[in-house]
Amino acid sequence: MVVEKGIITVDTKQIDRLTMELKGFEKEVGESTYHALKRTVDFVATQIGRIVRQHYTIKASDIKDTLIKNYPSKKDLSASVESKGHTLSFYHFTHSPKTRPATKKKYKVKVTIKRDSGSQEVNTDPKPFIATLDGGIDHVVKREGTERKPIVVLRTLSVPQMITNENVGEEIQKAAMEKFNERLEHEIIRNMTSIQKNIRK
């Protein structure tokens, strides 16, 4: 599988190789590939949530909401897991203070986006602050100018960008290919064993 623009797709080189090696059993290779891909799609979606959260302080639900699983069919063996989403506000990451302070005392706004980078002060001009917006959510915002309004919500990365981060993408790709190869081998052995048993009857 390869990761590109938030999409994880299958590298078909191994399938092509197996088709050549098991010439005459193309149907069995196709069926094995179909079942292996279905299992792998679900596995990859789970791994995306796990691996991305190892690097970023984002909630699993925020990642899951962006994922689209494209399952294979027996006529079309293409499969992928796609992530679609806009840049996220700091609200979706670990930040402090979490809510708008009750006092008017000046405070610093800090956010932790990448776990290995630690907490970073948000330095904008004008200074950022916490504001309760529609829906009762406390966002990190800043004013656009010297007036009290308008204000803008501060945003950072999107989930697709996190997935295509070099280290994250490589981890997902490695986990995906290992699972696909494991499931494909299992399905091939199961199918070929079944054929051998039928021949002996």
Side-chain angles (χ1 to χ4, degrees):
M1 287 190 169
V2 294
V3 182
E4 182 180 1
K5 295 182 180 178
I7 304 174
I8 298 87
T9 55
V10 173
D11 183 344
T12 61
K13 289 180 181 177
Q14 173 140 338
I15 303 171
D16 296 338
R17 180 179 62 77
L18 278 171
T19 302
M20 292 288 291
E21 291 179 358
L22 297 173
K23 194 170 180 61
F25 296 96
E26 289 83 0
K27 180 182 176 182
E28 286 72 21
V29 172
E31 289 181 354
S32 297
T33 302
Y34 166 72
H35 290 292
L37 284 172
K38 281 187 69 179
R39 290 288 189 90
T40 303
V41 165
D42 288 329
F43 173 81
V44 168
T46 300
Q47 290 304 300
I48 288 174
R50 183 184 69 82
I51 293 172
V52 169
R53 292 186 73 241
Q54 285 181 344
H55 293 267
Y56 298 91
T57 65
I58 186 175
K59 296 177 182 177
S61 58
D62 288 333
I63 300 170
K64 185 178 179 180
D65 288 345
T66 73
L67 299 182
I68 301 169
K69 299 178 185 179
N70 299 307
Y71 290 100
S73 67
K74 291 188 176 180
K75 291 184 178 180
D76 182 2
L77 294 175
S78 59
S80 66
V81 179
E82 184 176 0
S83 174
K84 287 187 175 182
H86 300 292
T87 53
L88 298 174
S89 68
F90 289 155
Y91 164 79
H92 295 274
F93 299 86
T94 300
H95 63 279
S96 66
K98 288 187 177 180
T99 59
R100 184 177 180 177
T103 65
K104 292 184 178 181
K105 186 178 178 181
K106 289 185 178 180
Y107 58 90
K108 293 179 179 179
V109 177
K110 294 184 177 181
V111 63
T112 304
I113 297 173
K114 293 193 72 175
R115 294 186 185 278
D116 60 6
S117 297
S119 179
Q120 304 286 326
E121 183 178 349
V122 180
N123 290 309
T124 60
D125 186 19
K127 290 286 187 181
F129 59 98
I130 306 296
T132 305
L133 303 183
D134 293 342
I137 297 174
D138 290 324
H139 279 285
V140 179
V141 302
K142 77 176 184 94
R143 293 187 172 89
E144 285 195 323
T146 57
E147 301 297 323
R148 290 182 60 82
K149 290 185 178 181
I151 60 174
V152 292
V153 175
L154 298 180
R155 297 181 175 276
T156 180
L157 300 170
S158 66
V159 174
Q161 286 175 317
M162 296 178 213
I163 292 173
T164 53
N165 170 292
E166 184 176 355
N167 294 331
V168 175
E170 286 179 358
E171 287 183 48
I172 295 172
Q173 182 175 337
K174 181 180 179 183
M177 286 310 301
E178 286 178 354
K179 173 57 69 172
F180 174 65
N181 290 336
E182 172 196 315
R183 293 308 310 174
L184 183 58
E185 180 180 358
H186 172 81
E187 294 294 340
I188 288 287
I189 292 173
R190 186 177 67 82
N191 269 326
M192 299 310 290
T193 301
S194 177
I195 290 173
Q196 290 177 346
K197 285 181 179 179
N198 289 331
I199 291 174
R200 292 195 189 105
K201 289 181 180 180

